[in-house]
Amino acid sequence: MTFGAGFDRLSGYPFEVRYSQGALQRARMSADVAADAYRYLRGLFSEFAPDIALIVASKADWSSTQPYGMPYFNDDQGQIRPGILAMPSEQSVFWTEMANDIGGVSGSGYAKLLATYANGAGDLDLQPFFDLVTIHELGHAFEVLSGLRLPTFWLGEIFANLALHTFVATRRPRNLATLEVLPTVGVEDELFTMQIRAEGSHTLEDFESHYAGSSQQMSSRNYVWYQYRFLRLAAKIFAVDGEGGLVRFWECFRGRVGRSLNESTIPSIVRLLTTEVSETLGDAVENWREW
């Protein structure tokens, strides 16, 4: 059966909402935030309205090669809508493993996480962070379903994170700490970075070669290492450029639909980003090693 087809429906939103049995409260909370972001991004992106379904699924109903707990977007054929945003309705082991990976349960990094993501019983609960990651996936919906022509996968990830950060900083600034603390701690963890640089992918070229779906796909742990950096880069871009950085990002590549792109090398992408999108972004791409 098509993922989400037999789930309950939740009406009253600018996109279809489906949820697993028993997940009504989580679905309503998720849909409220996603709808606010959907309307906000639609206003920034020329009133483009992607045809999507938000699917809030239990572990038993999950349908993805991604680990349970990691929200995702895809536009595969034969779905209930041209694009779907899937998010978990429950806690997952993946979240705990991710937190323990940066500093361990006794490290200073973990203490910083606990100060922001405590569940009231002294334990770590990263669900509030992953609830916001759904907006990252919504950014991909605007990117992919609009035909935005981004020449690399890593630019797509930066675009989605900039959409997420811009929305939170503009519309829900009270949630900025929830969005920023985890990736900040992740970037600051020197041992984690040493391990990735010694054993895994760490350049932008590596990311392109080992993105999801490739024959040599990077590990989830390695992918998260990149995402921490993309999230911190998005915060830096917004601090300098505000909403304008995201709008120029959209307009720069939206305007290239139907035209051949020759900006596939790092130097050519840097030139394009620096002149048409954001000097901050262009500089970060040119000097990726420092991130």
Side-chain angles (χ1 to χ4, degrees):
M1 180 182 291
T2 303
F3 181 43
F7 292 10
D8 292 330
R9 295 172 179 261
L10 188 59
S11 61
Y13 295 93
F15 42 75
E16 187 171 349
V17 180
R18 303 284 191 105
Y19 61 95
S20 291
Q21 186 175 8
L24 174 60
Q25 182 177 3
R26 170 61 52 190
R28 185 173 285 121
M29 291 172 59
S30 301
D32 285 347
V33 176
D36 190 12
Y38 185 95
R39 296 183 182 102
Y40 173 74
L41 294 175
R42 184 177 63 192
L44 291 182
F45 299 152
S46 309
E47 294 301 323
F48 175 75
D51 187 359
I52 60 171
L54 173 66
I55 303 175
V56 181
S58 65
K59 187 173 183 179
D61 291 333
W62 194 248
S63 176
S64 176
T65 57
Q66 299 288 351
Y68 184 73
M70 176 69 81
Y72 69 89
F73 164 82
N74 73 47
D75 62 335
D76 295 345
Q77 295 293 317
Q79 300 179 131
I80 58 176
R81 291 291 181 186
I84 62 168
L85 272 65
M87 67 174 298
S89 63
E90 311 165 31
Q91 277 267 21
S92 77
V93 173
F94 172 73
W95 304 355
T96 304
E97 291 175 345
M98 215 174 69
N100 290 344
D101 215 5
I102 48 177
V105 294
S106 61
S108 60
Y110 189 87
K112 292 177 183 177
L113 297 178
L114 198 58
T116 301
Y117 306 105
N119 65 359
D123 298 319
L124 197 63
D125 179 8
L126 292 177
Q127 183 160 327
F129 173 82
F130 281 97
D131 286 347
L132 293 177
V133 172
T134 302
I135 310 308
H136 166 106
E137 303 306 332
L138 180 61
H140 281 310
F142 277 90
E143 171 206 348
V144 173
L145 298 179
S146 70
L148 204 64
R149 294 291 183 86
L150 298 176
T152 64
F153 292 125
W154 49 265
L155 267 179
E157 295 305 318
I158 294 171
F159 174 82
N161 280 315
L162 185 56
L164 164 60
H165 190 94
T166 301
F167 165 71
V168 172
T170 303
R171 297 293 293 267
R172 295 181 178 241
R174 66 186 181 279
N175 296 133
L176 269 175
T178 301
L179 177 61
E180 293 188 304
V181 169
L182 177 60
T184 299
V185 172
V187 167
E188 290 174 350
D189 192 299
E190 295 180 0
L191 178 59
F192 184 29
T193 293
M194 286 174 60
Q195 291 172 342
I196 292 297
R197 286 184 170 158
E199 304 167 7
S201 300
H202 55 89
T203 68
L204 294 175
E205 292 89 347
D206 287 342
F207 188 89
E208 199 67 13
S209 298
H210 303 296
Y211 191 67
S214 72
S215 59
Q216 295 180 312
Q217 181 175 322
M218 75 184 79
S219 67
S220 296
R221 182 174 184 262
N222 202 154
Y223 178 77
V224 164
W225 180 87
Y226 277 105
Q227 289 295 355
Y228 289 152
R229 280 152 180 77
F230 293 153
L231 282 161
R232 296 312 301 144
L233 174 54
K236 188 172 182 179
I237 294 167
F238 181 84
V240 175
D241 298 305
E243 283 183 341
L246 179 59
V247 173
R248 287 192 298 274
F249 205 147
W250 166 269
E251 292 177 345
C252 174
F253 293 99
R254 178 71 164 162
R256 283 168 169 74
V257 171
R259 287 194 278 158
S260 175
L261 276 173
N262 296 314
E263 302 103 357
S264 59
T265 66
I266 296 292
S268 60
I269 290 173
V270 167
R271 287 193 296 272
L272 180 66
L273 296 176
T274 301
T275 58
E276 297 193 31
V277 180
S278 163
E279 290 184 7
T280 302
L281 176 53
D283 181 70
V285 172
E286 186 173 27
N287 300 289
W288 176 254
R289 173 76 185 183
E290 298 176 10
W291 285 84

